[in-house]
Amino acid sequence: MTTGERVLKSASLIDMEIEVENEHQFCFYRYDNALPQVSWNEEKGVWEEVNQVPAVLQNADLAEAKEKSEGDLYDGLVLMAYQKVRVDLKKRKATALKEYKWGTR
């Protein structure tokens, strides 16, 4: 991490870059099926919760992800909350933070 900056990106609706915080810490967003998800129901023309989505995550970020996916909607399209994780190389520890971004699975 001290030899330069390198950014990795994922093909998704959200920016999945690795964020370098300092010489020994970086963050990324992780995917997990247990995290909140919504799915497009083509027949009903609505987004439905796949699992419980807390009120705090029913936010502008979710609305923006839904809006961005409008041109690519298909039955069963899933949007999910990605959780931010901080990795501390000195402490050899990864910590899940209470920060989320919505994107496609």
Side-chain angles (χ1 to χ4, degrees):
M1 299 214 356
T2 59
T3 61
E5 289 195 21
R6 184 177 188 127
V7 176
L8 303 176
K9 292 190 179 185
S10 171
S12 177
L13 290 177
I14 64 171
D15 186 2
M16 296 293 287
E17 295 179 358
I18 292 176
E19 303 168 12
V20 177
E21 293 191 340
N22 55 47
E23 290 182 356
H24 57 86
Q25 290 180 324
F26 64 92
C27 292
F28 65 94
Y29 285 87
R30 75 179 183 95
Y31 163 87
D32 187 324
N33 278 328
L35 292 171
Q37 300 177 40
V38 295
S39 176
W40 177 250
N41 183 319
E42 185 70 37
E43 186 177 318
K44 295 179 183 177
V46 297
W47 290 96
E48 298 178 327
E49 291 185 5
V50 174
N51 52 17
Q52 187 175 7
V53 179
V56 70
L57 291 180
Q58 296 177 19
N59 55 24
D61 191 34
L62 175 56
E64 183 179 338
K66 288 177 179 179
E67 186 179 313
K68 284 182 179 180
S69 66
E70 283 181 4
D72 300 315
L73 288 178
Y74 60 86
D75 192 47
L77 173 66
V78 174
L79 297 178
M80 71 173 309
Y82 287 78
Q83 185 174 28
K84 191 172 188 176
V85 175
R86 176 176 290 124
V87 177
D88 188 315
L89 300 173
K90 275 186 179 177
K91 296 179 182 177
R92 295 182 172 197
K93 183 177 180 181
T95 305
L97 305 175
K98 293 185 180 192
E99 294 181 43
Y100 301 87
K101 284 188 181 181
W102 283 93
T104 56
R105 179 166 58 169

